[in-house]
Amino acid sequence: MSWTPNAHAGLMEQAMTRKILKMAATPGLISLAGGMPAPESFPVDEIKAAVDRVLTDHSATALQYGVSDGYQPLREWVSADLAAKGADYPPDQILITNGSQQAISLASGILLEDGAKLAIETPTYLAAISTFRPSGCTFVDMPCDEDGPIPAELRRVRDARFAYIIPTFQNPAGRMISAQRRQAISETAHELGLPLFEDNPYGELYYDGEPPAPLASFDPENTIYGGSFSKVLSPGMRIGYVALPKKIYGDFLNLKSAVDVHTANLIQLIVYEVVKDGFLTTHLDKVRARYKVHRDAMDAALKKYMPADAVWETPAGGMFFWVTLPEGTDTGALLDTAVKAGVAFVPGEAFYAVDPPKNSLRLSFVTVSPEQIDAGVKILAELLR
Ligand SMILES: Cc1ncc(COP(=O)(O)O)c(C=O)c1O
């Protein structure tokens, strides 16, 4: 008798995620790898005050078991916030999760199984790939252009269980799908009977004007919407949510309660206490102003140092630049040398489920200072030459 992991348990991408987190914590290394909020953006005083109020006024609820759906006032807040963005999900279709990562995991558990097809963008979020993979699903690529998945091509993936899409400031490509394209994707998916999963942790981090309404605004009954407080408040609190079509809410709720009973009440109450009176409005203005400076610093550094054959689009929000280098470049092979030289990035190959090209890389601009961004991009560009 010996331990026998299931056939899909070789989670390559998770090894990369752990490496990214480790690199981010290495002293002296300029890490352009992790997608972590700047610690200076954490509203420590507001959270401290909220902890105090929650424990003074609501300790019986905060410290007790709760319902698997989540803390009702927080569900109502999320529902109202989504409605303000144009996506209609009543509070009883909102499930509070342990980060939006858990929304992905629940979708995998409920909707995927061995051999089921899952449509993804290429590239896509690496920790989603590794969350979906243990289901034994087959990944199928949605043909994309610079504006995201091509509606007419969705026919090719019509037999997928759902299409996983990050329409706003995509991780890793930084891409934002236009309003017209969102509508066309949503309408075509409806016609084809192809359900959608919109993952949107970055939508509030816009630097050149507000993004279009969510994909979910067009057809909420055909769209699962995953959201998060990680990038707007604190990822360590691990509070996310999933807004669900009525039909499948019960299935998600059952799996959520089987997995972890419910998300920590104490933290849900603290998040609610922080956000309930509109704190995020002023807070996010400050966060956006800070990150915009970082975004511009990275754009300037790339222009200043990168070889002429490197290609990138300046992202209008989010945390990432996606840089494509000439065919034949192997960014994976370059990583260890780069780390020794003092800079870390994520090789683009980590963001593909099958047949990864090797000539791209992802650079994050939010956690390190503009000076470090300049220094890091300079080192990287010298290695690429
Ligand atoms: C596209 C995307 N989805 C989901 C997540 C998960 O975020 P969290 O679980 O912290 O809400 C991330 C985190 O980086 C992400 O980039």
Side-chain angles (χ1 to χ4, degrees), residues 279-364:
F279 167 73
L280 284 183
T281 313
T282 45
H283 176 62
L284 284 170
D285 278 345
K286 289 187 219 154
V287 174
R288 289 181 200 116
R290 164 184 279 273
Y291 289 177
K292 183 178 164 62
V293 172
H294 289 227
R295 190 273 312 261
D296 292 346
M298 182 162 278
D299 202 33
L302 288 167
K303 284 187 182 126
K304 189 153 76 166
Y305 300 121
M306 274 285 154
D309 46 14
V311 179
W312 68 91
E313 290 284 331
T314 309
M319 297 189 168
F320 309 110
F321 277 75
W322 179 251
V323 182
T324 305
L325 298 149
E327 297 257 350
T329 312
D330 182 347
T331 56
L334 185 72
L335 181 60
D336 286 340
T337 320
V339 168
K340 281 193 196 106
V343 65
F345 61 89
V346 186
E349 64 188 280
F351 302 96
Y352 295 83
V354 279
D355 299 334
K358 296 190 174 294
N359 57 328
S360 49
L361 52 87
R362 191 194 76 176
L363 300 174
S364 163

Side-chain angles (χ1 to χ4, degrees), residues 35 98-102 104 125 164 166 171 199 201-202 227-228 230-231 235 238-240:
N98 204 24
S100 58
Q101 192 66 34
Q102 189 176 42
I104 299 171
Y125 172 45
Y164 171 73
I166 309 161
N171 179 5
D199 189 12
Y202 300 104
S228 180
S230 286
K231 317 291 178 178
R238 308 302 306 126
I239 302 290

Side-chain angles (χ1 to χ4, degrees), residues 19 23 26-32 331-345 375-376 379-380 382-383:
K19 196 167 175 178
M23 288 188 299
T26 306
L29 184 68
I30 300 175
S31 180
L32 307 176
T331 56
L334 185 72
L335 181 60
D336 286 340
T337 320
V339 168
K340 281 193 196 106
V343 65
F345 61 89
I379 298 170
L380 183 59
E382 276 161 10
L383 291 173

Side-chain angles (χ1 to χ4, degrees), residues 188-211:
T188 311
H190 189 100
E191 275 168 37
L192 296 171
L194 172 68
L196 302 174
F197 184 126
E198 172 174 24
D199 189 12
N200 188 23
Y202 300 104
E204 293 288 356
L205 302 182
Y206 54 85
Y207 316 128
D208 301 327
E210 255 182 79

